[in-house]
Amino acid sequence: MAVEVLLPKLGLTMQEGTITEWLVPPGGPVRPGDVIMRLATDKVDTDVEAEGEGHFHPVVPAGTTLPPGALVGWLLAAGEILPGAVSGAAPSGAVVSGAVVSGAVGSGDLVAQPGPAGRLLASPNARRVARARGIDLVTVRGTGPGGRIVSEDIEAVDVAAPLPVAPPVVSPLVVSPPVTPLVRRYAETLGVDLATVAGRGPAGRIRRADVDRAAAAAAAAGTRDERPPQAAPPAGPRAGQVIALTGMRGAIARTMHTSLQEMAQLTHGYEADVTDLVALRAQLKREWTGTGATAGEPRVPSLNDFVVRAAALALGDHPLLNATIRDGAIHLLPEIHVGVAVAVPDGLLVPVVRDAATRGLLDIAADVRRLAGAARDKKLAVRDLEGATFVVTSLGGYGVDFFTPVINPPNVAILGVGRVRDGVRWEGDTPRRTSVLTLSLSFDHRAVDGAPAAEYLRTVTALLARPLLLLAG
């Protein structure tokens, strides 16, 4: 029996998704759990697995953007005909060269009806009358709402002189190269045709290194497009460029605009003495060097890891900061899941460290490294991006001391982390050099007043001043 394959809904906020590539050829056999497509949303690129068994037949080409729940293919038994198709032709609703292919009613043909992809609009009674009179619905002009075909339209058709129709040329769906949108744009920047690139990643996936090899080989053979040589692709936007507010950029724009419109946000700045924390990290680096850590992967927790743990522990004592506002009430949340903002080429992602208040520092550090790496490689799962009750974001690596982070709805607070800089502490008449970190807490004044927010910052600062407790706890 034919089984529909629908575009999955990845998260409550997903409005549309783009099928960036089919990973199974048309008619290929699949079993439950086999990856059949690569799907891109405004937050994440992910592999979608088959939930049933059969021969997979896509009905839309790669690159199509659809809402969740849209039909994208079928799973058929051996020898089974596609629903709506005649003699093994294209299925009803399949996109063919920009036209909608519709199943003919009472005839053995399929015709291409120009217009947006979708089902033919006709009332049930119109379909019944058309079937009884042997009339092809695609030859009928609808006069109902939105061009819908009604029974009166069928009765007005001159059956003796049917409109001539010609069967379309149905082009087979082409399985695009297995490549992410980011690598595709990288290839376009270098002028590399992906059809000439051999992917060496899992399942033949094309990676940046594969594109680099193809570009070098093409340059050596003199087959690259004639364009000025580039040492590297542009690092960012260029003057005169127009950047559409779509995809991740559009999602960020909508979320931040809504956040500032609907919340009463203000920001506290607070200086934390992290002298002992900086000294502890330096000591750990000396002691842990050569203890088996993977090359290039730091084993010593970063300063931000300490902040994440301190922020999570402090939320247990200040639950108003770990809350959400809905239905006219402040809901204090029982779980403490800390989102960690990660900059990626297309914008910003906030993967989530779950149950951060009950986990040790080394466990948190390992999870943050995993999530940050997956975010940059676009391999985050939907679960990794959902459920944050509080967010930590850092610009310290960019030399920023203080900034005003914007709250990520539906949270009521976000903690910004600046750079570590030199400070001075006076011990009597003697100045002592210290290391100082500026924290920026933005909070929703509807849920939290200034004094409780300041108390939270005081608790976080006190924890950072005792880094051994954070490390051992």
Side-chain angles (χ1 to χ4, degrees):
M1 186 177 94
V3 177
E4 292 182 328
V5 178
L6 307 179
L7 195 78
K9 186 173 180 65
L10 306 179
L12 297 177
T13 61
M14 177 181 168
Q15 297 180 351
E16 63 181 22
T18 300
I19 302 171
T20 57
E21 57 191 283
W22 291 115
L23 301 178
V24 175
V30 298
R31 292 181 298 179
D34 287 350
V35 178
I36 58 174
M37 75 176 90
R38 184 74 174 170
L39 181 65
T41 71
D42 56 6
K43 290 185 177 181
V44 65
D45 284 7
T46 188
D47 291 332
V48 177
E49 300 177 350
E51 296 182 358
E53 183 174 2
H55 293 269
F56 177 63
H57 294 268
V59 297
V60 295
T64 303
T65 299
L66 296 166
L71 177 69
V72 298
W74 294 91
L75 288 176
L76 306 178
E80 188 174 9
I81 297 176
L82 284 162
V86 178
S87 300
S92 176
V95 175
V96 180
S97 302
V100 179
V101 177
S102 302
V105 179
S107 71
D109 297 323
L110 291 173
V111 297
Q113 178 182 347
R119 294 183 180 275
L120 191 65
L121 295 177
S123 70
N125 191 47
R127 293 182 183 275
R128 180 183 59 78
V129 175
R131 187 179 303 111
R133 300 184 62 184
I135 295 175
D136 187 347
L137 282 176
V138 298
T139 67
V140 180
R141 180 175 180 178
T143 61
R148 186 181 185 89
I149 299 172
V150 294
S151 57
E152 288 80 2
D153 300 324
I154 305 297
E155 294 169 353
V157 173
D158 183 1
V159 181
L163 293 176
V165 294
V169 177
V170 181
S171 301
L173 292 172
V174 178
V175 180
S176 61
V179 58
T180 66
L182 187 62
V183 174
R184 190 181 300 278
R185 288 193 294 271
Y186 181 64
E188 291 172 354
T189 302
L190 296 183
V192 173
D193 183 358
L194 286 174
T196 66
V197 180
R200 301 187 181 182
R205 186 175 304 281
I206 298 174
R207 302 167 301 182
R208 287 173 66 104
D210 301 324
V211 175
D212 289 334
R213 278 190 294 271
T223 59
R224 281 190 63 188
D225 294 342
E226 292 298 327
R227 62 180 67 191
Q230 287 183 206
R238 300 177 298 278
Q241 183 180 0
V242 177
I243 302 175
L245 286 177
T246 57
M248 184 184 297
R249 188 75 263 153
I252 293 173
R254 291 190 298 271
T255 301
M256 295 298 96
H257 186 251
T258 300
S259 174
L260 291 172
Q261 278 191 320
E262 297 183 355
M263 296 188 196
Q265 297 189 33
L266 69 157
T267 304
H268 282 348
Y270 209 94
E271 288 192 349
D273 187 332
V274 291
T275 307
D276 292 342
L277 173 52
V278 171
L280 174 61
R281 292 193 67 249
Q283 177 185 344
L284 293 177
K285 286 181 180 179
R286 291 192 300 269
E287 293 179 354
W288 290 4
T289 299
T291 58
T294 303
E297 180 184 0
R299 288 220 16 205
V300 176
S302 70
L303 184 142
N304 208 51
D305 296 331
F306 280 90
V307 174
V308 169
R309 175 152 169 74
L313 290 174
L315 288 173
D317 295 329
H318 303 273
L320 280 175
L321 279 299
N322 193 67
T324 187
I325 295 179
R326 64 175 184 270
D327 302 326
I330 303 169
H331 296 254
L332 307 186
L333 303 174
E335 308 88 3
I336 296 176
H337 304 320
V338 178
V340 181
V342 178
V344 295
D346 297 332
L348 187 74
L349 292 172
V350 186
V352 181
V353 178
R354 314 193 82 80
D355 301 312
T358 60
R359 298 170 64 177
L361 179 63
L362 297 183
D363 188 19
I364 289 175
D367 205 17
V368 169
R369 288 198 300 274
R370 177 188 68 82
L371 291 168
R376 297 186 183 102
D377 293 338
K378 293 201 170 187
K379 294 182 179 179
L380 286 171
V382 175
R383 172 178 166 80
D384 293 331
L385 291 166
E386 293 185 332
T389 62
F390 186 89
V391 173
V392 172
T393 179
S394 175
L395 289 177
Y398 298 92
V400 175
D401 289 330
F402 175 84
F403 60 104
T404 55
V406 179
I407 300 170
N408 191 35
N411 303 159
V412 298
I414 182 172
L415 183 65
V417 184
R419 70 182 176 101
V420 176
R421 67 186 192 282
D422 290 338
V424 176
R425 179 176 65 232
W426 288 88
E427 297 179 357
D429 294 333
T430 305
R432 300 293 184 189
R433 183 179 179 179
T434 61
S435 296
V436 177
L437 176 71
T438 300
L439 301 175
S440 311
L441 178 71
S442 291
F443 57 96
D444 187 348
H445 214 320
R446 297 176 303 166
V448 187
D449 292 329
E455 289 294 337
Y456 171 77
L457 283 170
R458 182 180 295 179
T459 301
V460 173
T461 300
L463 290 168
L464 292 176
R466 306 177 70 183
L468 280 174
L469 291 180
L470 293 175
L471 180 63

